[in-house]
Amino acid sequence: MNRQTVLLISDMRQVHLAEILTKKGINVRCLDIRNSETVPEQLEKLKAFLVEADRLILPIPVSKVPEQKLLNDILNKNLTNGTLVLGGCFSAEQTELLKRRDIHYLDFMEDKIVTEENAVATAEGTIAELVNHSPYNLDEAKIIVAGYGCCGKAIATRLAALGARVTVLARRREVRKEAKKDGFYAVDFAFGPEEAMGAAIVVNTVPAPVITRTIIRELPRDAYIFDIASKPGGTDFACAKEYGIRADLVLGIPGKYAPKESACILARAMERFTLREGVE
């Protein structure tokens, strides 16, 4: 049987990943889901492709597939136990489905090396977006970074290197302690409203409702909120609109700003996983 890898293309990362895999002699079948109008048609093709698939590579995040209900139905009915499923930020329903079916899977965003390497591209892309959309220079600007995980840390570090006055908002005391050790002013979210006064930019990395009305109403009206957390983000976007403050939810930054590098990161993660799990 002619085994193959099926890859859903949601951005340029998957295009370059397909090139990398093809150069390694892997038979790759691509389904382009960047046009929402043709997604149902592409997912219908997926049903047939899965019959001979030994690997299925889904987007990062998997939620970039517009038809999530249809996708889940296909995964449940058409996946075979011999298919390795890879993607980023699987939903709880998808994770339960894969475990129940005893299907090997890898969530790229739960791989520590991937998240650390991805954070660099995310931070650089975030800065590019801030330069493009903020009415102020980053130098000397008061900027709030919500969350201090891999992405928050990488973003805060690079903003500080450009001369920004960075305040880190973090829930856990040990995380705030780490941020302070790294040279940042760090406080609990309870102090968010106070820190919002005079802030030019808010960057949120926390996938929970943390940039709330109490913070937003204290921001200058020409401030910019940039949210990179998983859908639906951590910002009260309706409130931001009410106050006339621009707030954007931007996902998949590595795929936009460093797609080749990001594809290499994913390819290396796939190799580590297959070696570790003993799957092909």
Side-chain angles (χ1 to χ4, degrees), residues 4-263:
Q4 61 190 7
T5 291
V6 179
L7 190 155
L8 271 63
I9 296 176
S10 62
D11 58 46
M12 288 303 296
R13 275 178 294 190
Q14 287 87 35
V15 174
H16 294 300
L17 182 57
E19 293 172 353
I20 292 171
L21 297 177
T22 300
K23 286 179 181 178
K24 292 182 178 182
I26 297 171
N27 180 23
V28 182
R29 299 291 297 269
C30 295
L31 295 170
D32 196 330
I33 61 167
R34 288 173 289 185
N35 182 347
S36 60
E37 293 182 2
T38 62
V39 167
E41 175 187 338
Q42 296 291 74
L43 291 181
E44 282 299 316
K45 292 181 181 179
L46 176 61
K47 294 180 182 179
F49 288 173
L50 284 177
V51 175
E52 296 185 347
D54 56 0
R55 284 191 295 196
L56 169 63
I57 305 176
L58 298 168
I60 303 175
V62 177
S63 60
K64 291 180 87 172
V65 180
E67 300 285 347
Q68 285 287 291
K69 185 176 181 181
L70 177 56
L71 173 64
N72 291 347
D73 186 59
I74 292 171
L75 294 179
N76 189 43
K77 294 179 180 178
N78 300 91
L79 269 179
T80 66
N81 287 79
T83 303
L84 169 62
V85 181
L86 307 101
C89 304
F90 289 102
S91 69
E93 180 182 353
Q94 289 160 350
T95 300
E96 191 278 330
L97 185 157
L98 294 170
K99 288 181 177 179
R100 174 167 42 82
R101 295 283 311 282
D102 196 27
I103 291 170
H104 281 284
Y105 73 95
L106 168 64
D107 189 326
F108 287 118
M109 301 316 296
E110 291 184 0
D111 183 302
K112 184 178 180 181
I113 296 175
V114 170
T115 55
E116 289 176 349
E117 293 179 334
N118 228 35
V120 175
T122 299
E124 292 182 3
T126 294
I127 289 171
E129 291 280 345
L130 298 182
V131 169
N132 190 36
H133 295 299
S134 174
Y136 296 102
N137 289 337
L138 298 182
D139 182 49
E140 290 299 321
K142 181 180 181 181
I143 300 179
I144 294 174
V145 176
Y148 201 66
C150 286
C151 287
K153 183 182 294 188
I155 291 167
T157 299
R158 284 158 179 77
L159 287 172
L162 291 170
R165 296 179 289 119
V166 178
T167 295
V168 173
L169 297 183
R171 288 172 175 157
R172 292 186 293 156
R173 184 173 178 272
E174 60 269 28
V175 174
R176 296 196 298 271
K177 187 175 180 180
E178 180 184 2
K180 290 176 181 178
K181 185 179 178 181
D182 292 338
F184 298 108
Y185 181 61
V187 296
D188 186 83
F189 278 96
F191 295 93
E194 180 180 337
E195 292 305 318
M197 297 178 186
I201 296 170
V202 176
V203 179
N204 179 55
T205 69
V206 181
V210 293
I211 309 302
T212 60
R213 176 176 292 272
T214 58
I215 292 177
I216 293 170
R217 69 188 180 191
E218 301 299 337
L219 289 169
R221 296 302 175 259
D222 59 356
Y224 178 46
I225 301 173
F226 188 71
D227 198 322
I228 64 170
S230 301
K231 281 186 178 180
T235 300
D236 186 336
F237 291 99
C239 178
K241 185 176 181 180
E242 177 186 332
Y243 280 95
I245 296 173
R246 176 167 181 171
D248 293 330
L249 176 63
V250 181
L251 305 177
I253 291 176
K256 179 178 179 181
Y257 285 96
K260 277 194 175 182
E261 182 66 31
S262 299

